[in-house]
Amino acid sequence: MKRIIFLMAIMALAIGQSVHAQIFDSLRVKEDAENHLKEAQNQMNEKTERAMRENAIHRVSKIEKETVKAFNERREMAKDQVEKKKEEFKAKLEAKREEVKTRLEEKREEVKKRLEGIKDSKKRKTAEHLYDALNKVNDRITKHFEKVTDKLTEAVERIEQRADKAAANGQDVAEVRAKIAEAKAAIEAARSSVQTQAGKVYEFQADNAQELKTDIQAERDRLRADLEAVKTSISLARDAAHESLKSLAKIPRVDELEVEDSETEIE
């Protein structure tokens, strides 16, 4: 009897161990399945995130490339416009000077005829010399003013380029652009003054020795006043350009802002 009970106990223990083993195996299979599922999900999430990240980088890169391309196109157009205006201004001045050259020759003959009434040949030659001298001074100084307006135009163009870079980097450049517009208008006004001055001829109307001295002094004063007026317009243009530069300098770290020139550098 005891032996039977002992055998039954052993059988029960064996059955219990077998059931426990089956349960353990079942749990392990379930755990392995869950681990595989999690691993698969993680891999899928990583692939999705990587794809999204690559897509985002591609979109940003594309936007940056388009921004750089648009920036470069705008700058090239601006440079072309500046050069075009300079060439137009130069062409107008050259045409004006050619016109003045013809008028100077005509007026010189008229002055000579009027001076024939003066018996003193020395005074006649002095008057003829002063006629040439006054008009040469006008030509020389207007050419100088022309160069000044060109330099101011180039300076403002560089300021505008830096303002465009600042705008491309998200900076507020409204004030700078307003100052640049004022500077451009002032430069155009100065150019107009230079062009008008380049077309002037200074001559003497006197036909006798008594009036000649007064006439010469009057033309000297007129030339001086005219050149001072042009100089004032140049100064106003220079001041306006300086104001645009001061406005640009208010932008934080403006000298460090850049827009890359090539698409490969962006990538």
Side-chain angles (χ1 to χ4, degrees):
M1 184 68 179
K2 290 181 179 180
R3 187 171 182 174
I4 292 172
I5 294 172
F6 177 73
L7 290 173
M8 290 178 66
I10 291 174
M11 290 176 63
L13 179 61
I15 292 171
Q17 289 178 342
S18 176
V19 171
H20 183 270
Q22 290 178 3
I23 293 172
F24 179 77
D25 289 342
S26 177
L27 291 173
R28 186 171 58 188
V29 170
K30 182 180 180 182
E31 184 179 354
D32 289 343
E34 289 177 350
N35 288 336
H36 285 304
L37 180 60
K38 287 181 180 179
E39 185 177 352
Q41 289 176 340
N42 288 336
Q43 290 178 352
M44 185 177 295
N45 289 337
E46 288 178 0
K47 288 181 179 179
T48 302
E49 289 177 1
R50 184 165 57 252
M52 292 176 64
R53 185 166 56 252
E54 290 175 353
N55 188 37
I57 292 172
H58 175 72
R59 289 200 308 270
V60 171
S61 177
K62 183 178 179 181
I63 291 171
E64 288 178 343
K65 289 176 182 178
E66 290 175 350
T67 300
V68 171
K69 183 179 179 181
F71 174 83
N72 289 335
E73 287 176 351
R74 287 198 305 273
R75 291 314 314 151
E76 286 302 317
M77 288 178 62
K79 287 180 181 178
D80 290 343
Q81 289 176 355
V82 169
E83 289 301 318
K84 184 179 179 181
K85 284 189 175 182
K86 284 171 61 177
E87 291 302 319
E88 288 176 352
F89 178 56
K90 185 177 291 185
K92 288 179 180 179
L93 274 180
E94 288 302 319
K96 184 71 69 175
R97 288 190 177 108
E98 286 299 317
E99 177 188 331
V100 168
K101 188 183 294 184
T102 302
R103 288 173 55 205
L104 281 172
E105 291 299 324
E106 294 173 353
K107 293 293 182 181
R108 182 181 288 106
E109 293 302 316
E110 292 178 9
V111 169
K112 280 185 177 181
K113 286 184 179 180
R114 283 196 293 269
L115 292 175
E116 287 177 357
I118 300 174
K119 295 180 180 180
D120 191 334
S121 61
K122 187 176 180 180
K123 288 184 178 180
R124 289 200 305 269
K125 288 182 179 180
T126 299
E128 290 174 10
H129 171 73
L130 288 173
Y131 169 82
D132 290 333
L134 289 177
N135 288 288
K136 284 180 180 179
V137 167
N138 185 52
D139 181 61
R140 177 172 56 82
I141 295 181
T142 52
K143 284 180 179 178
H144 168 69
F145 286 154
E146 176 189 358
K147 292 179 181 178
V148 173
T149 58
D150 284 345
K151 289 181 179 179
L152 288 174
T153 299
E154 292 167 2
V156 171
E157 199 279 331
R158 289 193 295 271
I159 292 170
E160 187 171 24
Q161 181 178 7
R162 292 169 67 188
D164 286 345
K165 287 181 180 179
N169 281 274
Q171 298 289 339
D172 182 5
V173 296
E175 180 184 334
V176 182
R177 293 202 189 285
K179 294 295 183 181
I180 288 172
E182 292 175 5
K184 287 182 176 181
I187 291 171
E188 285 302 311
R191 278 180 165 170
S192 179
S193 296
V194 172
Q195 185 176 334
T196 300
Q197 184 61 31
K200 292 184 178 181
V201 173
Y202 296 86
E203 59 177 315
F204 312 131
Q205 299 296 329
D207 56 3
N208 59 76
Q210 288 75 19
E211 296 178 359
L212 182 59
K213 184 177 180 180
T214 302
D215 204 6
I216 290 174
Q217 187 60 48
E219 285 301 282
R220 280 177 171 171
D221 292 342
R222 186 166 75 92
L223 173 61
R224 185 181 296 108
D226 288 346
L227 292 177
E228 281 295 327
V230 179
K231 184 179 178 181
T232 298
S233 68
I234 295 286
S235 296
L236 291 174
R238 184 184 289 110
D239 291 344
H242 185 61
E243 286 299 316
S244 66
L245 180 60
K246 285 169 61 178
S247 179
L248 179 72
K250 294 178 183 178
I251 298 176
R253 303 173 65 184
V254 66
D255 292 328
E256 300 176 21
L257 301 176
E258 289 294 340
V259 175
E260 299 294 343
D261 291 331
S262 64
E263 294 183 356
T264 55
E265 290 177 346
I266 295 173
E267 295 175 346

